[in-house]
Amino acid sequence: MHAARGRRHPGGSPPPIRPSRRSLMLGAGLLPLTLAGCGSDPTISDDPDELVMWYWDRSASPELLEQATEQIPGTEKQLRADTIGTNFDTKLRTSLAGDAYIPDITYINSNNALYFTNENLFLDLGELGADAVKDDYYEWKWNLGMTPSGRFCFFPLDIGPTGYFFRQDVFEEAGLPSTPEEVSSAISTWEDWIALGVELKGGADSFLINDAQAVFESFLNSSPERYFDTDDNALYLQPDSAVRQAWDTAVAAVEAGVTARIPRDRATDQNAAWSSGRTAGQIGAAWWTQVLEETAPDTAGLWRLASQPVRAGNSGGSFAALPHTCKDPEAALAFIMWINSPENQAAAYRDVQLFPSTPGSFEELSYEGDFYGEQDPLEFFSSAAETVPESFISTYETMIGGSFSLEITNVETSGKDPEAAWDDAIAQSERVLIKRGVLS
Amino acid sequence: MSTMTPVPSRPATPERPIPKHYAARGRIATVVTHLCVIIGVLLSIFPFYWLVVMSTQTTAEIFGYPPKLTFGTSFVENVQSVVTSVDLLGSLLNTIIVSTCCAVLVMFFDSLAAFAFAKFDFPGKKALFILLIATMLVPGSLSLVPSFILMSELGWVGTLQALIVPGAANAFGIFLLRQMAAGSIPDELVESARIDGAGFFTTYWRVAVPLLRGGLAFLGIFTFITAWNDYVWPLIVLVDPERQTLQTALQNLNSLYLTDYGMVMAGALISVLPLIGVFIIGSRHFIANIAAGAIKG
Amino acid sequence: MSTAAPARPSPVRTAADPSAKRKRKIREILPLYLAISPFYLLFAVFGLFPIVFSIVLSFMDWDGMGEMTFVGLAQYQFLITDGRFWNAVANTFIIWFLSTIPMLFFAMVIAFLLHQNIRFTKFYRVAFFLPNVTSMVAMAIVFGSVFSDTFGLVNSAFTALGLDTVPWLSSPWGIKVTIAVMVIWRFTGYNAIIYLAGLQSIPTDLYDAAKVDGANLAQVFLRVTVPMMRPIILFTVITSTIGGLSLFTEPQVLLGDSGGAGEAGMTIVLYQYNQAFTQFDFGYGSAIAWALFLIAAVFAIINWRLVSGRGDDSRRRAAATKETRR
């Protein structure tokens, strides 16, 4: 892959990857400009000792970045960290498509599966020696960074183990079990969880969760099986697939009336429901603790965490990757490994509350605060992280997942018949997959 | 307009007295007018007022229930967070450069073209004008990748001209000014300038520009605003953190999981205030235009 | 603009040297081409390539960064039978209809009122201009709070008045009405300011004449203002048709990329954006974009015909003017 670093000149022999764009441009004969076209640079900085990284605010410890700006430990290079806010993927993709001004290091969100089909644009970090630190990381997270062909392109940053957040005061009011231990054992299956929701509705006129989509996704996020396996087999089409079970669970929650029917796109309403106690719970990831503390500080001390039904899942959590044009892959990897060491991830948690992907970090961390009463969310989520199952997120899942979310929301908000909705989601998915050339 | 101007104006003194009821009705009409306008104004202002209120609140207060519509106490902190995380001065300067250049170039090039289209005949005019309108229908959002490729071939990535030059003349403004010129520039003035031996550009400068002042002010202001608020293209094409526009700098405040909405609102407010100033200054030209209209009549 | 032809040769045929005549003609016409050239040059350099690129793209499968695969007409075939696309088309037209007509009507009324030299005009003008500059992030929160089903100000007011609450953001019609309200809110002032600029170029003696004749405000409005404003009205109708058919910001701000419950707020451009920038299906995104181009072109032509009518604007205007003066 290092060969791809060299600048391709228009008119030269077709490069191994993506001849399409430039040949299209030249073929169209539209650009006399290409004559002068050796001007652009595949990397951003001209300085051979400067590595440019793209990240977004609060996804790295500012202090550590500062340190790397002076010198990346163990190398002769310096880091330049550029914040990219919204539209991160659009910016990264445009650079990769344009083959110009590509960062040497880039962060990628939990949607890294989107990049699997173009894995050739990223370096295999395993080849570069990343495996040496593999054992420091949660195995399931490490494996999420692996492409289906077995290349390790996405290095773990943070993780998002999930649990059931609930309002202890509302549960008490409804006369329900209300300590974390009691609730955890009362909701060990999804059926029990929904049954508890019915009692909550009756006792306190409050909802178990805001929307059916959250139920559907939380179920899948805690399932070892998702839409596809690594060989691109469509698991979701099989009878009693995990996707179907997740669907049935979400439908059961809707039919039992335990969802508040506030779809995700209405963030203001969702927040208001949690602050007012109209909705008394949420299946959320570790990073949601911080969101809740900042958006609903009036409810401090009222929230608790219970283990969600069956087992914990994972929602969110980012990666670091090296584009194929990276100036100095060794130094870049050294930086990634350094900033994500257990010690530095602990520092990042203290600085910007990034939840560590290295179990070792927790030895150095302690939670201070009483938003969750006596309960320690750090302890809760670090032990939840141990039970997150191995799973595989396919690129194709990103193409069809939306159909299922859309249809489950239809069932919830407009009373669409669940079977008809399921059939529509399946049909829509099939159409999309055929169009994208996944199915024939 | 052409057949209208020669019609002799009415004498200044009315031939018959204004009916008494007209004045009385006028007063009621004035009250009703004000009432309608004030309702409209309240509806228009309300969300802006809310923005101002939100910029004084914490994230928690913003999302609190019920929403608080009174001022909070966090304004100073919010502004401080913006100022410390954004190179306000540098990005403001870049934004002013880009917006001003865009506005000036668009006003000049668009009015030239509009005047030619509105008041003169030349071979191919109709086809060229249809092409112009058609370009307004062309979907824009998919041009990010090819435009980026183009800019990188030109070596313009990371430069401000990548934001200025492509939009230096636009179909929208030419269409607008052509419609305005059609109504407000009498053919007689153009014709008499021609008889006086003035060429196209002289006529443009002496006749068209003064009469198009209102439309030009509008176009200038809105080009300025559009350039000021543009976000996605600057995000793609500006790669140097030292050279950002206000919008890209402010959007970079957004993080993955947690957003400080108080700070975002303060940033939004800061970025809007200069636009209001530009509008107030620019709209003086409307007043000037009333005078021009009166003289003309 | 056939009446406006100072560049036309005089009807009297002279025996002048034809080459001198041609020279003079070139001298007169050349500056005109020069005047209109900046737009076409910039378009050729910066506009044409992206257009060709996206046309080509609509015959490809492309995820926005990797290899392109030629798929022929597959994207368009998919589009014809794509229920989500046609739903977006229907939504777009409904929202366009709900928003454009009230918006232009209110804009005209406001411009007319502001033109009456009433007091505080300067302040009013700034006020009506504010919606156009207020940040969209703030708008998302404000409109989300105002129209919230359970917690919103509008529903609270309805309850206080003893009316039934409306599920603004979760029912198909509620969503469309809310988006239309947002469009009206955002663009009425903008259009009013265009109209105001147009109104100010109408000679004041026309108004004086009408007033002397004892015409009331409504008569002045209908018989002087509207006919004189025809070219400007045509402009706003065309631009708000184009703007309305490419409606994107409001639904996205209000409902996110998914278009709300049941995709009731999914517009054509939001769907195109969704396909290209969240599904990374750029081929299909391009096909949607070109389908929209066709729809918008047909619609713009219809509107043009409706508003400008047959024949020449200025002649009609002149006729209308004479009528009011009678």
Side-chain angles (χ1 to χ4, degrees):
Chain A
M1 283 308 301
H2 291 211
R5 278 178 57 208
R7 176 77 190 145
R8 301 198 309 265
H9 289 269
S13 60
I17 325 156
R18 300 175 307 129
S20 45
R21 177 184 54 70
R22 275 178 204 269
S23 48
L24 167 76
M25 233 169 67
L26 293 166
L30 280 163
L31 275 184
L33 302 158
T34 44
L35 295 173
C38 318
S40 62
D41 209 304
T43 67
I44 295 172
S45 169
D46 295 335
D47 182 348
D49 290 330
E50 186 177 63
L51 296 180
V52 175
M53 173 177 96
W54 282 355
Y55 75 117
W56 44 90
D57 203 27
R58 296 181 67 103
S59 66
S61 155
E63 261 175 55
L64 294 173
L65 290 180
E66 184 72 26
Q67 203 180 321
T69 311
E70 302 288 318
Q71 189 178 28
I72 299 172
T75 72
E76 300 292 304
K77 309 282 173 169
Q78 288 99 42
L79 183 80
R80 182 183 119 191
D82 294 355
T83 328
I84 312 294
T86 35
N87 299 60
F88 191 95
D89 285 306
T90 304
K91 174 143 175 116
L92 181 60
R93 276 168 182 267
T94 306
S95 291
L96 289 168
D99 200 27
Y101 301 93
I102 304 170
D104 298 296
I105 304 165
T106 185
Y107 278 18
I108 286 180
N109 200 353
S110 50
N111 59 7
N112 65 319
L114 279 174
Y115 295 85
F116 284 171
T117 43
N118 296 295
E119 57 173 301
N120 288 342
L121 298 179
F122 298 96
L123 301 179
D124 182 347
L125 306 175
E127 265 178 27
L128 290 166
D131 287 343
V133 294
K134 187 178 185 216
D135 294 341
D136 290 348
Y137 294 79
Y138 289 110
E139 199 181 351
W140 57 266
K141 172 73 182 187
W142 188 272
N143 290 340
L144 284 174
M146 202 84 82
T147 69
S149 67
R151 291 172 77 243
F152 180 67
C153 295
F154 306 95
F155 196 94
L157 300 181
D158 63 325
I159 57 172
T162 59
Y164 183 59
F165 291 69
F166 67 96
R167 282 276 294 269
Q168 190 171 42
D169 57 325
V170 180
F171 273 52
E172 270 169 11
E173 186 195 328
L176 296 174
S178 62
T179 67
E181 295 73 27
E182 285 170 351
V183 176
S184 297
S185 56
I187 60 169
S188 60
T189 68
W190 291 99
E191 291 75 22
D192 291 345
W193 182 67
I194 293 169
L196 189 86
V198 175
E199 287 181 53
L200 179 70
K201 187 88 209 310
D205 197 24
S206 181
F207 296 100
L208 195 60
I209 195 162
N210 266 334
D211 58 309
Q213 190 186 344
V215 181
F216 177 72
E217 286 177 3
S218 299
F219 186 106
L220 271 186
N221 284 341
S222 63
S223 160
E225 176 194 317
R226 298 179 66 101
Y227 292 82
F228 290 86
D229 64 16
T230 46
D231 297 324
D232 297 343
N233 295 312
L235 303 177
Y236 73 96
L237 289 172
Q238 293 167 3
D240 208 35
S241 66
V243 174
R244 178 67 207 206
Q245 289 174 34
W247 175 273
D248 288 340
T249 305
V251 169
V254 170
E255 285 174 348
V258 301
T259 68
R261 297 167 195 248
I262 305 174
R264 183 165 313 165
D265 55 72
R266 284 158 48 205
T268 318
D269 279 6
Q270 289 211 340
N271 284 326
W274 285 313
S275 322
S276 66
R278 184 182 156 85
T279 300
Q282 157 80 337
I283 296 177
W287 46 263
W288 204 64
T289 56
Q290 192 68 16
V291 176
L292 192 58
E293 283 174 39
E294 301 238 338
T295 51
D298 293 348
T299 59
L302 302 177
W303 290 89
R304 296 292 182 276
L305 291 154
S307 305
Q308 73 186 64
V310 189
R311 65 178 89 78
N314 178 66
S315 164
S318 319
F319 300 88
L322 302 184
H324 66 106
T325 50
C326 176
K327 240 178 236 164
D328 186 341
E330 285 75 23
L333 182 64
F335 165 76
I336 293 176
M337 283 162 59
W338 167 75
I339 201 165
N340 290 303
S341 70
E343 187 196 356
N344 283 339
Q345 285 209 38
Y349 177 81
R350 280 190 291 264
D351 271 8
V352 287
Q353 289 80 42
L354 281 182
F355 201 82
S357 54
T358 46
S361 304
F362 297 104
E363 288 161 20
E364 304 179 33
L365 291 173
S366 61
Y367 177 82
E368 276 156 36
D370 52 7
F371 196 87
Y372 302 90
E374 302 291 291
Q375 206 178 0
D376 178 356
L378 201 58
E379 193 188 301
F380 175 86
F381 283 112
S382 58
S383 53
E386 302 287 345
T387 69
V388 174
E390 290 258 346
S391 65
F392 169 69
I393 302 177
S394 161
T395 311
Y396 309 133
E397 173 178 335
T398 60
M399 298 173 183
I400 63 170
S403 311
F404 290 89
S405 305
L406 172 73
E407 290 298 342
I408 196 69
T409 307
N410 283 347
V411 171
E412 186 183 32
T413 58
S414 60
K416 187 168 177 177
D417 173 56
E419 274 319 301
W422 170 262
D423 291 343
D424 286 352
I426 295 285
Q428 172 71 18
S429 302
E430 192 185 348
R431 274 168 53 82
V432 170
L433 291 174
I434 288 172
K435 186 166 80 63
R436 300 302 291 271
V438 181
L439 297 180
S440 48
Chain B
M1 289 294 287
S2 51
T3 45
M4 191 196 67
T5 322
V7 175
S9 298
R10 289 226 154 218
T13 347
E15 280 153 22
R16 55 195 159 95
I18 298 170
K20 266 189 190 142
H21 69 266
Y22 190 87
R25 239 183 18 196
R27 212 169 296 138
I28 295 167
T30 310
V31 172
V32 173
T33 304
H34 272 280
L35 212 65
C36 293
V37 172
I38 286 169
I39 292 171
V41 162
L42 288 179
L43 289 174
S44 280
I45 285 186
F46 176 65
F48 184 79
Y49 166 77
W50 200 331
L51 165 68
V52 178
V53 166
M54 285 192 286
S55 70
T56 68
Q57 295 176 333
T58 61
T59 304
E61 286 166 332
I62 288 169
F63 284 109
Y65 170 77
K68 268 176 59 188
L69 287 176
T70 49
F71 290 93
T73 52
S74 312
F75 184 66
V76 176
E77 292 95 277
N78 287 338
V79 171
Q80 271 170 352
S81 325
V82 176
V83 173
T84 51
S85 14
V86 171
D87 171 18
L88 212 53
L89 216 62
S91 60
L92 194 65
L93 191 69
N94 288 331
T95 308
I96 290 173
I97 292 171
V98 170
S99 305
T100 310
C101 290
C102 283
V104 170
L105 291 173
V106 162
M107 284 160 79
F108 177 64
F109 287 138
D110 284 5
S111 57
L112 262 183
F115 184 49
F117 273 123
K119 292 290 159 187
F120 297 89
D121 266 346
F122 48 88
K125 172 169 137 171
K126 203 174 174 191
L128 284 168
F129 196 70
I130 289 171
L131 174 68
L132 181 109
I133 300 291
T135 64
M136 291 174 70
L137 304 172
V138 170
S141 68
L142 289 165
S143 64
L144 280 179
V145 172
S147 299
F148 180 76
I149 293 170
L150 206 57
M151 289 302 164
S152 80
E153 293 296 334
L154 286 172
W156 283 12
V157 173
T159 66
L160 295 184
Q161 68 257 35
L163 304 181
I164 297 168
V165 177
N170 61 43
F172 168 85
I174 296 173
F175 183 29
L176 171 74
L177 293 179
R178 183 225 169 257
Q179 298 304 92
M180 293 216 165
S184 64
I185 302 176
D187 292 333
E188 289 70 23
L189 285 181
V190 179
E191 184 62 23
S192 64
R194 198 176 86 100
I195 291 165
D196 290 348
F200 172 79
F201 291 101
T202 317
T203 316
Y204 160 78
W205 193 249
R206 292 214 193 121
V207 177
V209 170
L211 290 176
L212 280 176
R213 232 185 301 180
L216 278 171
F218 171 85
L219 181 63
I221 290 167
F222 277 88
T223 309
F224 192 90
I225 295 171
T226 313
W228 188 279
N229 286 331
D230 196 7
Y231 165 61
V232 179
W233 176 237
L235 172 83
I236 300 295
V237 89
L238 295 181
V239 290
D240 188 350
E242 308 294 312
R243 199 183 280 145
Q244 295 290 310
T245 65
L246 199 54
Q247 293 303 331
T248 57
L250 287 174
Q251 294 278 352
N252 285 349
L253 296 175
N254 287 337
S255 63
L256 203 51
Y257 303 125
L258 193 67
T259 300
D260 181 348
Y261 279 92
M263 173 173 74
V264 169
M265 294 302 151
L269 186 62
I270 291 170
S271 76
V272 160
L273 289 179
L275 294 180
I276 297 174
V278 166
F279 180 76
I280 292 172
I281 295 165
S283 64
R284 286 213 182 121
H285 286 271
F286 290 107
I287 305 292
N289 205 57
I290 292 177
I295 293 162
K296 194 176 48 168
Chain C
M1 296 318 302
S2 52
T3 54
R8 207 173 274 170
S10 98
V12 186
R13 290 185 182 273
T14 53
D17 175 18
S19 80
K21 201 174 150 193
R22 201 184 305 135
K23 254 188 197 161
R24 208 187 61 219
K25 203 176 170 191
I26 287 171
R27 220 181 50 222
E28 275 177 0
I29 282 184
L30 201 64
L32 298 174
Y33 286 116
L34 208 61
I36 63 166
S37 62
F39 169 76
Y40 295 95
L41 285 177
L42 287 172
F43 177 71
V45 176
F46 297 105
L48 219 49
F49 171 55
I51 287 176
V52 174
F53 187 91
S54 83
I55 291 175
V56 172
L57 214 53
S58 71
F59 300 100
M60 301 279 179
D61 182 73
W62 191 47
D63 67 357
M65 57 180 177
E67 242 171 286
M68 288 183 192
T69 328
F70 180 74
V71 294
L73 286 169
Q75 305 286 13
Y76 291 99
Q77 280 164 350
F78 185 84
L79 181 119
I80 301 261
T81 56
D82 183 7
R84 295 177 70 197
F85 171 72
W86 292 108
N87 170 54
V89 172
N91 290 343
T92 307
F93 275 95
I94 292 170
I95 297 168
W96 176 83
F97 186 79
L98 288 177
S99 59
T100 305
I101 292 166
M103 172 182 81
L104 293 182
F105 174 74
F106 289 140
M108 186 57 100
V109 171
I110 289 169
F112 184 68
L113 295 178
L114 289 186
H115 192 50
Q116 299 306 303
N117 280 330
I118 56 171
R119 292 161 88 189
F120 313 121
T121 309
K122 274 185 198 167
F123 167 74
Y124 290 146
R125 243 182 358 220
V126 174
F128 283 118
F129 162 81
L130 281 177
N132 228 265
V133 293
T134 305
S135 119
M136 275 295 122
V137 193
M139 285 314 95
I141 296 175
V142 170
F143 275 78
S145 306
V146 170
F147 288 96
S148 156
D149 296 355
T150 19
F151 308 100
L153 296 186
V154 175
N155 274 348
S156 306
F158 276 28
T159 312
L161 293 170
L163 299 167
D164 285 338
T165 60
V166 176
W168 295 107
L169 294 177
S170 55
S171 64
W173 279 98
I175 286 174
K176 291 182 183 74
V177 169
T178 310
I179 294 172
V181 168
M182 202 165 172
V183 173
I184 293 170
W185 174 78
R186 221 176 132 213
F187 286 104
T188 300
Y190 158 92
N191 283 297
I193 290 165
I194 295 183
Y195 286 150
L196 191 59
L199 282 173
Q200 289 171 345
S201 62
I202 299 176
T204 44
D205 66 334
L206 283 180
Y207 286 106
D208 299 340
K211 274 191 181 167
V212 165
D213 287 348
N216 61 27
L217 275 184
Q219 284 167 327
V220 172
F221 180 74
L222 286 176
R223 296 174 71 186
V224 180
T225 311
V226 173
M228 287 300 293
M229 291 285 285
R230 195 175 275 276
I232 308 289
I233 294 173
L234 174 69
F235 171 82
T236 56
V237 168
I238 295 294
T239 49
S240 46
T241 299
I242 296 170
L245 293 186
S246 40
L247 186 65
F248 167 70
T249 311
E250 285 80 3
Q252 200 218 15
V253 156
L254 207 57
L255 308 160
D257 293 344
S258 63
E263 299 199 332
M266 182 66 91
T267 61
I268 303 173
V269 175
L270 186 58
Y271 188 50
Q272 178 225 310
Y273 176 85
N274 183 293
Q275 292 299 307
F277 293 102
T278 69
Q279 296 299 309
F280 299 105
D281 189 348
F282 279 81
Y284 191 46
S286 298
I288 295 169
W290 287 105
L292 172 63
F293 176 81
L294 281 183
I295 293 172
V298 169
F299 211 62
I301 291 167
I302 293 172
N303 270 313
W304 189 294
R305 285 278 154 85
L306 280 180
V307 178
S308 69
R310 268 168 299 144
D312 180 57
D313 329 339
S314 58
R315 209 178 304 144
R316 271 170 154 259
R317 262 195 337 275
T321 312
K322 275 179 192 152
E323 197 179 311
T324 54
R325 289 178 162 234
R326 218 176 282 144

